Amino acid sequence: MAATLPISPISHKLCRSSRFGHNASTPRFCSPIFSISPCLIGTASELRARLPLVSSAVTTNSILHDVGATVAVLGGAYALVLSFDSLTKRNVIPQDFKTETEIIINRNNNTSLSHLSGFYLSLSRKLVHILSGLLFVLSWPIFSGSSEARYFAAFVPLVNGLRLVINGLSISPNSTLIKSVTREGRPEELLKGPLFYVIALLVSVLFFWRKSPVGMISLAMMCGGDGIADIMGRKFGSAKLPYNPRKSWAGSISMFIFGFFISIGLLYYYSSLGYLHINWDTTFGKVAIVSMVATVVESLPITDQLDDNVSVPLATILAAYLSFGY
Ligand SMILES: C/C(=C\COP(=O)(O)O)CCC[C@H](C)CCC[C@H](C)CCCC(C)C
Ligand SMILES: Nc1ccn([C@@H]2O[C@H](COP(=O)(O)OP(=O)(O)O)[C@@H](O)[C@H]2O)c(=O)n1
């Protein structure tokens, strides 16, 4: 009987197995059915004889599970960028925000985007900035409970990073990606903010994944907080920061508030699924401190030397690791 696929972590049993051997040090979640499956009934020697067969069945099942999840999330990433390009082409994205320059753009004939400026274009890019990373973090539970699942998840930012490099070097430029993700429509822009952004996603998956609050908080601040800061700052940011005239109180306060609540939301999501055990008595304070650190770092006049998509996740990871310890 094929072993039941390990589902994580709704079930309550821990069993020690991994795709490449059944004496894994990493516990994995298995479905309750797995623990009473007929193939596990018998004497100890019979069980030992059957275990390699069960283990290989579980291995095959979880590989297929993770391949399916990877394809689904890759498709989601591609669809997100495509849909925002379509929304801006059809002027569905609200244009009730002032642009720095009023220009009628006929995007279908690939009017040069270098004339584009202002809020209109940046709103689309910022929504991609906010949604890509947050939807990616929310997608992690669809991967299997095996200890190798994170490497399948990491394949998604890896492929997108390669896509950004190929387009950024104009090896085979994709106008949809360039329009949706760059400020001024120049392919080389993809090699800066967007590439750093995708690398931050890769680091969060590989080093923190579902088992630590650090990675998800860093993405909450980089994707949600920094993204909202741009939108709110451009719209309401008349009162500039005394130490950085390019940033505003409205942008920074928005980053702190939205980054804090998105972080709490992600921690609640992962704790309710059983991946994290959160002590809520102390967590709110810790997240507030981490959000403040990230907001202050983002507000500093260092963007020309260090992209926000590097400084914000790095500062958040450091602050969160010192606060949570794992
Ligand atoms: C616009 C982006 C970054 C620019 O940042 P900034 O310069 O404005 O500070 C985001 C680039 C997104 C990238 C092209 C696609 C990333 C997809 C992600 C790895 C997976 C998303 C999956 C999900 C299910 C949609
Ligand atoms: N704390 C902040 C962040 C951004 N902003 C506004 O958003 C614009 C873009 O911010 P940014 O240079 O950090 O953009 P990204 O590097 O995040 O794409 C700034 O020029 C400001 O108008 C703000 O007012 N306050």
Side-chain angles (χ1 to χ4, degrees), residues 107-293:
R107 299 171 71 96
N108 296 328
N109 65 12
N110 285 326
T111 302
S112 161
L113 299 179
S114 59
H115 299 300
L116 263 184
S117 68
F119 191 87
Y120 170 69
L121 188 67
S122 70
L123 179 62
S124 165
R125 181 169 57 82
K126 274 307 158 184
L127 291 175
V128 173
H129 177 117
I130 292 169
L131 292 175
S132 296
L134 293 183
L135 290 175
F136 181 55
V137 177
L138 292 173
S139 74
W140 291 353
I142 71 171
F143 291 86
S144 80
S146 82
S147 50
E148 294 77 30
R150 72 171 73 190
Y151 303 110
F152 284 87
F155 190 70
V156 176
L158 183 65
V159 166
N160 280 275
L162 291 174
R163 195 174 161 215
L164 292 171
V165 170
I166 290 168
N167 282 273
L169 297 175
S170 298
I171 296 170
S172 67
N174 171 333
S175 62
T176 301
L177 180 68
I178 293 168
K179 282 180 197 170
S180 301
V181 168
T182 61
R183 286 184 176 81
E184 296 173 8
R186 289 180 292 108
E188 56 272 21
E189 289 180 65
L190 295 176
L191 302 176
K192 296 174 184 168
L195 185 58
F196 297 142
Y197 177 100
V198 169
I199 291 171
L201 297 182
L202 199 57
V203 167
S204 292
V205 172
L206 292 177
F207 295 97
F208 301 105
W209 190 221
R210 303 176 293 210
K211 288 290 183 187
S212 163
V214 173
M216 42 189 87
I217 294 174
S218 77
L219 298 186
M221 295 312 299
M222 180 186 75
C223 306
D226 185 30
I228 290 292
D230 184 315
I231 293 176
M232 301 302 276
R234 287 178 191 269
K235 180 73 183 155
F236 305 107
S238 54
K240 302 301 183 187
L241 296 176
Y243 54 88
N244 184 358
R246 289 164 64 178
K247 303 287 174 81
S248 66
W249 287 106
S252 293
I253 291 169
S254 303
M255 175 169 180
F256 174 77
I257 294 172
F258 280 84
F260 173 81
F261 283 108
I262 292 171
S263 299
I264 293 294
L266 288 176
L267 296 186
Y268 178 76
Y269 174 69
Y270 276 96
S271 66
S272 62
L273 289 175
Y275 290 100
L276 292 177
H277 302 288
I278 298 289
N279 174 0
W280 291 107
D281 295 338
T282 58
T283 294
F284 286 101
K286 289 177 180 176
V287 172
I289 291 168
V290 174
S291 301
M292 181 55 72
V293 168

Side-chain angles (χ1 to χ4, degrees), residues 45-56:
S45 56
E46 283 171 344
L47 279 180
R48 265 196 294 276
R50 290 185 190 138
L51 212 46
L53 179 65
V54 170
S55 177
S56 62

